Amino acid sequence: MPELPEVETVVRGLRPEVTSAAIAAVPWASELMAESVVGPFAASLTGRRIDALVRQGKWMFYRLDNGWIFVLHLGMTGRVQIAEPAAELLPHTHLRLLLERPGRPTVEFRFTDPRRFGEVLLVDESAWQARFGPAQLGPDALTISRGDFASRLAATRRNLKAALLDQRLVAGIGNIYADESLFAARLAPTRPANTLTPREASRLHRAVNAVLVDAVAANGTSIRDYITVTGVPGEFQERLRVYGRADQPCTKCRKPIRLDRGVVTGRATCWCPQCQK
DNA sequence: GTGGCCCTGTGA
DNA sequence: TCACAGGGCCAC
């Protein structure tokens, strides 16, 4: 479900709630989901304070006061809510953290994820480096420089759709925003990445940035599962140009949007063969 | 690179 | 009943 704009929206909602909060207790941590490399998950987390919440790509990193990092990925169907401790539990709740905050009500941080594609992890600095260092997770798609972006694309023969989805190349782009960015840049998803001219690479960089900035401003795209921390849906689904619009007329040339399943195996690709070359 | 797999829910 | 879904990993 969530790509960069959705995760960023969640982070913006969570930051004021969790920063400086103390994890007073871990009422529930599902063994299916919560893993730790530094000791038993719940015990290791209890008593820690959350100093900062940062996002890179689709990953959330909660920096703790002892240098460890609580890692959260929403997968396809993950949600976080800040709930009153007595509030009824949603189905598929895999993690509950009791957060005590100076001068503010105690709340529960709850993570739910029906499909369980999400990830909940507690790591120390060295484990974090090994798992999320530059070799595993690329620069964030909102802040990557044009030059870095262009040279990374030039280094791969894969098609543009596959390259944009590769989190090591650039972090945060998923199926929706890959298609939307390629449409905005007027580039075919089937184009080998290393065939872009410098001008085209710049165009794609600008398109990715513009699409993501707009989507963040719209609080992300809500199609089925994703909602913000406050329970409100995003609005970017109303502004999609190609994703989910198979057979509908292209907003630019009126020819039907094409749906391909062969561009990247296992995933739908929507694009306009007329406008994207 | 490709295909399969991890899971549940939903809509055709 | 089947196909499909904002993701990512692992074995061929």
Side-chain angles (χ1 to χ4, degrees):
Chain A
M1 64 105 193
E3 308 182 30
L4 185 152
E6 292 75 37
V7 181
E8 177 63 18
T9 302
V10 168
V11 163
R12 289 183 184 185
L14 282 177
R15 220 175 248 140
E17 302 288 344
V18 306
T19 306
S20 302
I23 301 168
V26 183
W28 173 245
S30 157
E31 284 183 26
L32 285 173
M33 297 295 300
E35 285 183 61
S36 170
V37 306
V38 292
F41 183 89
S44 303
L45 213 46
T46 303
R48 301 273 61 85
R49 191 184 66 233
I50 299 172
D51 281 341
L53 165 56
V54 297
R55 178 194 60 75
Q56 186 176 348
K58 304 168 193 171
W59 294 89
M60 282 180 258
F61 301 121
Y62 299 73
R63 301 210 148 264
L64 306 179
D65 58 355
N66 63 351
W68 293 352
I69 300 130
F70 166 59
V71 178
L72 187 63
H73 192 293
L74 300 176
M76 290 278 262
T77 54
R79 279 187 198 174
V80 177
Q81 57 169 166
I82 298 294
E84 288 181 25
E88 199 171 337
L89 288 180
L90 292 173
H92 306 288
T93 298
H94 300 295
L95 180 67
R96 300 165 58 193
L97 307 177
L98 194 66
L99 299 184
E100 284 184 357
R101 310 170 305 172
R104 300 176 67 192
T106 294
V107 290
E108 250 186 45
F109 176 105
R110 292 179 179 171
F111 171 65
T112 63
D113 184 11
R115 288 181 75 178
R116 286 188 252 147
F117 286 178
E119 192 156 350
V120 178
L121 199 56
L122 182 60
V123 293
D124 57 19
E125 185 63 33
S126 70
W128 185 86
Q129 273 299 331
R131 181 92 164 63
F132 302 103
Q136 346 290 329
L137 188 61
D140 189 77
L142 262 186
T143 51
I144 189 172
S145 74
R146 186 178 53 177
D148 192 11
F149 184 71
S151 63
R152 285 165 178 268
L153 287 176
T156 179
R157 304 163 56 181
R158 286 172 301 165
N159 67 40
L160 288 175
K161 177 71 184 274
L164 290 180
L165 290 178
D166 183 350
Q167 304 297 299
R168 286 168 306 183
L169 196 152
V170 58
I173 303 171
N175 211 32
I176 292 179
Y177 298 108
D179 285 2
E180 293 298 312
S181 299
L182 288 166
F183 178 81
R186 308 191 309 276
L187 291 167
T190 49
R191 269 285 285 284
N194 63 353
T195 65
L196 293 194
T197 65
R199 201 184 166 82
E200 287 174 326
S202 287
R203 218 162 70 208
L204 184 52
H205 178 260
R206 196 168 52 239
V208 165
N209 197 263
V211 166
L212 293 179
V213 165
D214 283 355
V216 168
N219 291 323
T221 302
S222 292
I223 293 177
R224 53 177 65 75
D225 295 298
Y226 160 77
I227 50 168
T228 67
V229 172
T230 52
V232 175
E235 290 147 25
F236 199 72
Q237 63 279 6
E238 290 156 29
R239 296 170 47 192
L240 297 174
R241 312 282 298 271
V242 284
Y243 183 87
R245 297 194 66 248
D247 301 325
Q248 295 178 44
C250 171
T251 53
K252 267 198 249 174
C253 73
R254 313 312 294 174
K255 295 215 168 181
I257 297 298
R258 171 165 153 192
L259 187 156
D260 256 310
R261 298 206 174 268
V263 178
V264 170
T265 50
R267 319 212 62 181
T269 295
C270 299
W271 62 297
C272 174
Q274 175 83 9
C275 296
Q276 299 175 247
K277 301 293 181 193

